[in-house]
């Protein structure tokens, strides 16, 4: 029997493609065939610390939060362009990894591109308010990015759900540590690579693959994470 060569992927931390600190990996399996299609890193708590530290540095030094909104929007639109350019490849991978039909997978990829464009268009429209006051007073609000956002997504819309999380966070100047579902990690890792290719600075988008019970919990407990965005089952949501 001939051994199947699996595509291998790496974590994205601080703008670099890296292995898990432990060196451990796991296989992701196609539900259509029950055969492995890729090998990805099994991140642990040390990797969470590395990714959150990279996101914190990238936020605090202003490389993204301090970038003019029109430039953030331009780079997000470039992500949308890259998604469309690779629609055939990404649709194929999404079908292999999640089991959905190719027509739906293609719609998800194109929908992901539209999502990035939508939030890119909103990047320059995050305004505060000026509130009328009695007397010679000025009362106003300013909207500012929160900081480091941990984003945990489920298996059923692996790429599209990732863009739903990334789009608004990036448009408003936050940095992100994205944790895709262990069953469907491949397209989220590629999305992280496309963000780098589009010019989103190192450390702004970090992607970790591995068991939610370990790295999901570590993200939610981390003192340098300012917000957790989660889509998934009710019990896990209550725990978060």
């Amino acid at each position: 029997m001939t051994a199947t060569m699996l595509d291998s992927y790496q974590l994205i931390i601080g703008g670099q493609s890296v292995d898990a600190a432990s060196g451990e990996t796991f296989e992701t399996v196609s539900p259509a065939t029950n055969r492995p299609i890729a090998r990805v890193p099994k991140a642990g708590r040390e990797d969470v610390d590395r990714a959150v530290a990279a996101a914190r540095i990238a936020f605090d030094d202003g490389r993204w939060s301090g970038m003019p909104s029109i430039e953030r929007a331009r780079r997000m639109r470039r992500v949308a362009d890259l998604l469309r350019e690779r629609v055939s490849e990404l649709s194929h991978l999404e079908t292999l990894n999640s089991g959905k039909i190719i027509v739906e997978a293609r719609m998800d990829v194109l929908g992901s591109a539209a999502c990035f464009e939508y939030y890119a268009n909103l990047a320059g429209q995050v305004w505060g308010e000026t509130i009328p006051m009695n007397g010679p007073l000025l009362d106003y609000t300013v909207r500012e990015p929160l900081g480091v956002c941990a984003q945990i997504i489920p298996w059923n819309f692996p790429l599209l759900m990732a863009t739903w999380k990334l789009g608004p966070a990036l448009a408003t100047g936050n940095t992100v540590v994205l944790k895709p579902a262990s069953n469907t990690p491949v397209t989220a890792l590629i999305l992280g690579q496309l963000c780098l290719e589009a010019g989103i600075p190192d450390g702004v988008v970090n992607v970790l693959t591995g068991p939610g019970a370990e790295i999901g919990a570590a993200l939610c407990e981390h003192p340098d994470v300012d917000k957790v965005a989660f889509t998934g089952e009710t019990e896990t949501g209550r725990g978060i």
Side-chain angles (χ1 to χ4, degrees), residues 66-149:
M67 183 182 290
S69 59
I70 193 170
E71 181 60 24
R72 289 205 304 269
R74 187 186 70 80
R75 299 184 191 204
M76 290 181 67
R77 290 190 188 98
R78 178 58 182 151
V79 176
D81 291 341
L82 291 171
L83 285 166
R84 290 193 180 98
E85 289 171 12
R86 297 179 64 174
V87 62
S88 295
E89 173 197 349
L90 289 168
S91 300
H92 178 69
L93 283 172
E94 199 76 324
T95 291
L96 279 178
N97 207 178
S98 69
K100 61 177 61 186
I101 60 174
I102 190 70
V103 172
E104 185 176 343
R106 184 179 178 85
M107 290 173 61
D108 286 357
V109 177
L110 296 176
S112 297
C115 178
F116 258 83
E117 279 187 335
Y118 176 83
Y119 284 106
N121 292 336
L122 292 180
Q125 301 181 48
V126 184
W127 302 314
E129 298 173 336
T130 302
I131 304 166
M133 297 291 292
N134 294 320
L137 302 169
L138 176 63
D139 191 346
Y140 65 94
T141 62
V142 176
R143 297 187 184 277
E144 297 179 337
L146 284 167
V148 177
C149 300

Side-chain angles (χ1 to χ4, degrees), residues 20-76:
S22 66
E24 292 185 81
T25 62
F26 65 99
E27 293 177 346
T28 181
V29 174
S30 170
T33 62
N34 285 326
R35 293 178 179 176
I37 63 167
R39 182 174 288 108
V40 298
K42 185 179 180 182
R45 287 182 175 264
E46 184 176 346
D47 302 300
V48 170
D49 288 341
R50 289 195 294 165
V52 172
R56 172 55 60 193
I57 291 169
F59 180 78
D60 288 347
D61 68 15
R63 70 185 69 170
W64 186 247
S65 60
M67 183 182 290
S69 59
I70 193 170
E71 181 60 24
R72 289 205 304 269
R74 187 186 70 80
R75 299 184 191 204
M76 290 181 67

Side-chain angles (χ1 to χ4, degrees), residues 143-201:
R143 297 187 184 277
E144 297 179 337
L146 284 167
V148 177
C149 300
Q151 302 185 329
I152 303 171
I153 58 174
W155 60 268
N156 51 342
F157 292 90
L159 180 63
L160 188 58
M161 196 75 72
T163 62
W164 288 353
K165 291 283 191 285
L166 283 172
L170 294 178
T172 49
N174 298 284
T175 58
V176 172
V177 180
L178 177 68
K179 193 276 179 203
S182 297
N183 291 335
T184 52
V186 174
T187 48
L189 288 167
I190 293 176
L191 179 60
Q193 294 167 359
L194 295 183
C195 287
L196 291 170
E197 187 177 338
I200 294 177

